[in-house]
Amino acid sequence: MPDTLLDVADLRIHFPTSDGLVKAVDGISFSLERGQTLGIVGESGSGKSVTSLGIMGLHHGTNAQITGHIKLDGEELVGATPGRVRELRGSKMAMIFQDPLSSLHPYYTIGAQIAEAYLVHNQVGKKVAHKHAIDLLGRVGIPQPASRADDYPHQFSGGMRQRAMIAMALSCDPELLIADEPTTALDVTVQAQILDLIWDLQQEYHSAVIIITHDLGVVAELSDDILVMYAGRMAEYGSAEDTFDQPGHPYTWGLLASMPRIDEARLERLVPIKGTPPSLINVPSGCAFHPRCRYAGFTGGRSQTEVPELREVSPGHLAACHLTGDQRRKFRTELVLEETEASTARMTQGEA
Amino acid sequence: MRTRKTIGLAAIGAAAALALAACGGSGGSGGSGGGGGTATKASFNAGVTHVVNPSNHKGGTLNFASSSGIPDSADPGNTYYAQMWNLTRLYAMPLMTYASCPGPCGLKVVPDLATGPGVVSNNGLTWTYHIQPNVHFEDGTLVTSQDVKYAVERTFDRSKFPLGPGYYPSLLAPQNATCAKAMAAGKTTGCYPGPYVDRSKNLMGLNAVQTPNSTTVVFHLAKPFADFNYVTAIPQSAPVPPNKDTGANYQLHPISTGPYMFQSYQINKQLTMVPNPHWNPATDPNAKQLPSKIVLTFNVNPNDVDNRLLAGDIQVDLPGTGVQAAARTKILTSNSLKAQSDNPVSGFEWFMTLNNKVPPMNNIHCRMAVEYAANKTNNQTAYGGPYAGGTIGSTAAPPNVVGQKHFDLYEATTKSQGDLTKAKQQLQACGHPNGFSTGITYRSDRPKEVSVAQAMQAALARVGIKLTLHGFPTASYTSNFAGVPNYVHSHDLGITVYGWAPDWPDGYGEFYYIADGAAISPVGNTNLGELNDPLVNSLLGKFATENSATVRNSYTSQIDMQIMKDAAFLPIVYAKALLYRPSNLTNVYVQPFYGMYNYAVLGLK
Amino acid sequence: MTARAPAPHPVITFIVRRLIATVFLLIVVSMITFAIFFLLPRLAGQTTRGLASQYIGRNPTPAAVHAIEQQLGLDAPLPVQYGRFLRGIVLGEHFNAGTSKAYCPPPCFGYSFKNQQPVWPMMVSGLPVTISLAAGAAILWLVGGVAIGVISALRRGTLFDRFSMGVALAGVSLPIFFTGLIALELFSYKWPIFPNVQFVPFTQNPLLWARNLVLPWIVLAFLYAALYARLTRAGMLETMSEDYIRTARAKGLPERTVIFKHGLRAALTPIVTIFGMDIGLLLGGAILTEVTFSLHGLGLFTVEAIQNQDLPEILGVTLLAAFFIVIANLVVDVLYAVVDPRVRR
Amino acid sequence: MSTPVSTAGTAGAIGGAGDALLEVTGLTKHFPITRGIIFRQKVGAVQAVDQVDFSVAPGQTLGLVGESGCGKTTTGRLLTRLLEPTGGRIMFEGRDITHLSMGKMRPLRRDIQMIFQDPYSSLNPRHTVGGIVGAPLRLQKVKTEKGIKATVQELLELVGLNPEHYNRYPHEFSGGQRQRIGIARTLALRPKLIVADEPVSALDVSIQAQVINLLEDLQNELGLTYVVIAHDLSVVRHISDHVAVMYLGKIVELAGRDQLYAAPRHPYTVALMSAVPVPAPVRVDGRRQRRERIRLSGDVPSPLNPPPACRFHTRCWKAQEVCRTQEPPLTELIPGHRVACHFPENTAASAE
């Protein structure tokens, strides 16, 4: 593994509350090389955002209990002083957020907010910082950056705001860029522009990118590797190709089957996952997914309450599921057939 | 016109103890503020009968405070409050004034600016006063009879000076025939309009007052009026120099003839007085010039007034209506504090009128039923009990009216809870054996009157009389409701809660406006029970020409008795107030006519 | 996206429009007030005669009532009276019949029935007291309240937070006449640290001015500081959970910068609004404080006016209060536009 | 699948107005913009919806799709008469309801109902589920055979909620369940037409599928007619029989679902579809590749001052002079497929 930038091992982030211990992140491990993109996929409450904030050290000041390891370029961040993490934040690692409007301060100009990020990590004057900000705005594709730098966030359109956020994140040439649902609040055509921008900038800076999203389409377009999270745990981790072509976890199957798709006419009837995501205070015993899994009975002889370990389903492709390889192949085939049947059934009904 | 209105009241005075003391004590020695009265050491009610801490020590700042502003005006020509009549003696010398002495002696009028009482001639139509020739204004100018005439002229301008009494325009001879005719019709066409309008036109002046020389003032009356010395004892007769008169703004700096003069005055905030260098003690035996400064602070939080009083920061509570409940408890429960307090009769009487015109109360037996059924103890409690409220009353006049005698026709003091048996007998006689319904009016912004109305409602219910409560705001009580007979009749308002203090302490001053049939008027009525008893009317008429004190006193008690026989009044209390006198205050005593400490003679240790 | 409007500058347009609206608003307020005090009594059956006789000593003779009616112009139709009132504000007004007139110079807010004085100078003389009281208290409560609120928000759940919020609750709940009397009893009588609370003009003796106002300031400020502490705390808690605070932290800004530059700045915006409103509405608090401490400002003036049912005084003080409220609102709106760029349009 | 339905409202309406449950002609909504110091003058108008024609046959679903600001939500509010149209005509069951007064509209509110996007904010947190779902019945004073409670419980069962939960409060439910509550409330009055504004966009992927299936099942069971407003082209594809694509207040393309997705004609539709990320990674030699897509530049212009003639010409790669001067009418290029473009795409290819 050459050039590993980020190495996360057995990361756990727990929050004690009056209702009980919330295990928002419970044993996450992955690594990321420079120039590579990791997509983290999951539904709300799966712990994907908590993970990213944990890497950025943004749980400081809350009652979060963080264990495990986060090594950024070999430097351990878990247990590092808040001051040190703050120095790295914004310079070596940067982050952009879902809603660019609420993520920008409404009272300061775009230029000032970008310059501020540059000033805090570099010994330069305000003028230099402002010029740098204009420069960055130009780089992320804002027309007339010199005058737009003096605008306030509300004077920007949604796409431009996200560009400005990206410019801010890039102000100190970070080696790691975390994008948390960067396009969820945007229209499709604008989303395409932003995804292109992130792609281009990654090529240019050779930085490592973590993209966090619930949209399987977005991760498929951008990611080299994909990590599927469920209830704070890893469900599946592997290359994008493996994950989409031979998904190893019934949860991933469910996600793919329940998604309406624009490119395929085959899914006339969606196959939803039954039930709802679990509360993190009361995570189901054993495999957290088992109440919603139609194959929950097949534990390969293991106890119902045993938490399935991450196992290789193919080289470099991990899934946390009790199913054996054969069972997996069999059920997957059945599922695809069922989807087709469901479609057919509906068509028949519709004509009747 | 009479009465000083409202709470400020507190007039007269002598306590019950006083009434026992024989009249005519030290007689003529009106000037003896400090020396004349008997001195005594501090004890409860000592100030009612004696001068406490007599002293002629000069210096110090005398501090007054009031929880409101000056209730009407600091202009002696435009004030109707006892506290102001008392206070103005510090800067104004009317022709006559009340003798500065405690006890019954203080109910006498004595010459002040005048050299003697008015001399009557021309069948009682002409009153002549001579004024002291060597009294000066604060600027050194000599006071002349012209200045007195001018002061009287001012009172004719009712739009500038609406607040003072209106005796001169109604008693003095009309300016001319047109005016005489107009006055008969209740109008003022052709009458003297006051100096401001008049002097700008033709300088004709007020014909009814003549000044044959600089020390003589002659008043020509329309009809004889034997009480005229009392009228000239009202501060309105204090001289005003015409060239210093600033109309409505004169209140900001009245030109002093008394021991003190205004240094600064901000309405509703503060008044500071300093010694008048041109005042001569020899010409003004009724006042003293002891403190080197007098400061009056207005609109002080009522509880704060008491706190400051007890702490010695201030010496006098200007209105003289007594301390608040909190301080009252403190004083009455401490022997040392109680010894520094007095509980005089204020001169006010609180009562209810029982209407003579509203059925079935037009039947005397129904009125008597109310008299008997009322619970006088509860009524007294409604007014604050024996110390803050007063003594239960049984007569129409309070004890500090000269000539008043004690009697009790309806067992007010003997069966103070009420006599239900007799009440029922009267109801029987009235033809309503099971009771009747009527309304009671009171001032809804006065908690005491609200309480007494409720007490009456409960008391009368015991004999089946149903009272409905009708509260009205003080400001429009007589102008729009209780004082408008048409309104009273159409709303069946048989009982009216009211109070009265006379403009001077005799039967005429006490009764004319509240009991004479001639005083009933369609708006702003003060004879609220609409009593029109020929005997009462004729006795009141005789006051005008009767000069014998003995006869006048007998009129007073006869009228009082007749009113009560008519069951026209239901007395509540002879009002009392608990006054506190700080130990460093000298020459302190209750001036009986004002019912509060005499402000003209106070000094500091 | 803002419409980049052509001239005039939007903020100026905004201010001009608000100023014009303010004038209209004041006229409407004056009409309503005028109607309440002069029209309603008539509708309720009060006669002009009855009204006039309230301003005379007892037992008014018809002649005296008539004289008052004429002096005050009560016999004229109401619109005429209102017109006179407005004209008086601009041009001044002559009162009284005959040639010797009481002149009430502009701005003439009427002529007090009871005190026989023009209303305006009497109100003006109370202004320094009320302004001194308000200004001192405002500074005290703003600084104190915001500071406590910020600390409470940042140390949520600590002893300090619970204690100060408990005190704040008490402050919001306790009426001024209660806290005021307690303060007087304790610090003016029992331990005379601040004896003899009396107003001394600032120009006369600044030290005494401040010393004598300390108790009223504290009492008045206590009420508001409590409110502001709670507001600031709530505002800070809300702001500190905003996305842009997370962004600021993600930039690597020091925590102090995050709190003060990004957090407090935004949390203060609603405080500024409320502060402006409170300044305008302060007369209410000033009344209680001035009554409690016997300070002769506008508050006591108002009480006196109401006690005497002196309509011109009540009308004048109502208008003045409305004026302050409207002006305060205007200032707040302008401030808001300065503080929050989103409002500038 | 389904039989073709009438697609456009005007002269070309297939089958005549009598067949359509809802028919909209020339529907227009302008929001005035005022300016001025004292007297506010109207200086312009946001042309939120401009001359929109369509119709929906009973039992069918029309999808309205477009980016933010295209006027789709305004159109929905006009249909339910939450907004007063500036111009045009709305016919419901052959009756002109364009300018019906509130009072006359009231009985029609039973027939036309709306589902909102945010299941959190559209339910009153202080009312029980029973109260919320039963409210329309009480408001409209509907007589129910078995009483309101039984009716409400039936409705809850119909949308897949436990009828026992009648007395619970909204906060006790998950997002998907809340949207079901919203749907149950909508169904209480047995409406004929439901306008659903972004019914699933606030929901997690796995829950989206459940709600989409529910909507489809209810349509089959109760014969409902839907107008579904959504920005997600995949969702619209799944749920609609016909799809109208809107851009800056205008319908630019209107066709049967399969026709449209198979061969979009308007360049904007083409760009929109190509911008949607597809959950199928593109790999060449094991390295991720950027998917080919049409990249639109810039933002959507302001509806306050829309470009003249063809509103899309400022961003269209095919735009020529005529596009700037002449507005292309919405014409039926092939039966059942209307496009407003001078230079439509996919013309040579046959549509299926």
Side-chain angles (χ1 to χ4, degrees), chain A residues 216 228 235-237 239-257 313-314 317-319 321 323 325 328-329 331-333 335-336:
Chain A
L216 292 170
V228 181
E236 184 159 3
Y237 178 41
S239 72
E241 246 171 329
D242 288 348
T243 311
F244 279 98
D245 295 347
Q246 290 129 30
H249 196 288
Y251 174 59
T252 318
W253 302 350
L255 281 183
L256 287 167
V313 293
S314 61
H317 180 188
L318 309 171
C321 181
L323 292 182
R328 189 175 294 118
R329 272 183 294 278
F331 293 143
R332 173 77 181 147
T333 315
L335 183 65
V336 173

Side-chain angles (χ1 to χ4, degrees), chain C residues 252-269:
Chain C
L253 297 183
E255 193 61 15
R256 197 182 312 125
T257 314
V258 173
I259 291 169
F260 290 101
K261 186 173 170 189
H262 290 254
L264 190 57
R265 166 94 194 261
L268 279 185
T269 312

Side-chain angles (χ1 to χ4, degrees), chain A residues 37 43-44 157 187 189 191 193 196 199-200 202 221-224 240 260 262 267 269-270 273 275 292, chain D residues 67-68 174 204 206 209-210 213 217 234 237-238 277-279 281 283 288-291 293 295-296 298-299:
Chain A
T37 302
E43 296 178 275
S44 45
S157 69
D187 278 319
T189 57
Q191 165 174 290
Q193 293 171 2
D196 281 348
W199 179 293
D200 290 343
Q202 183 182 20
E221 299 232 332
L222 277 187
S223 310
D224 300 293
I262 195 167
L267 280 180
R269 174 81 177 166
L270 301 174
I273 306 172
R292 306 177 70 190
Chain D
E67 295 181 278
S68 47
S174 68
D204 271 322
S206 66
Q210 297 174 0
N213 284 352
D217 294 346
S234 316
R237 173 167 199 178
H238 268 275
V278 175
R283 289 291 183 278
R288 67 189 155 102
Q289 295 294 309
R290 206 189 295 224
R291 218 161 52 88
R293 62 159 66 104
R295 304 167 94 171
L296 286 182
D299 291 320

Side-chain angles (χ1 to χ4, degrees), chain B residues 189-203:
Chain B
T189 324
C191 295
Y192 181 70
Y196 310 103
V197 176
D198 178 62
R199 297 197 172 196
S200 68
K201 282 181 181 163
N202 49 20
L203 292 166

Side-chain angles (χ1 to χ4, degrees), chain C residues 3 5-6 8 13 16-17 20, chain D residues 35-38 40 300 302 304:
Chain C
T13 310
V16 170
R17 185 185 295 138
I20 293 168
Chain D
R35 183 168 297 150
I37 292 185
I38 307 169
R40 295 195 159 241
V300 180
S302 159
L304 173 61

Side-chain angles (χ1 to χ4, degrees), chain D residues 255-271:
Chain D
R257 178 258 311 262
D258 293 339
Q259 270 175 303
L260 184 86
Y261 280 81
R265 304 295 168 106
H266 197 285
Y268 176 64
T269 316
V270 174

Side-chain angles (χ1 to χ4, degrees), chain C residues 15-26:
Chain C
I15 293 178
V16 170
R17 185 185 295 138
R18 284 301 308 263
L19 274 178
I20 293 168
T22 299
V23 171
F24 277 104
L25 187 61
L26 283 175

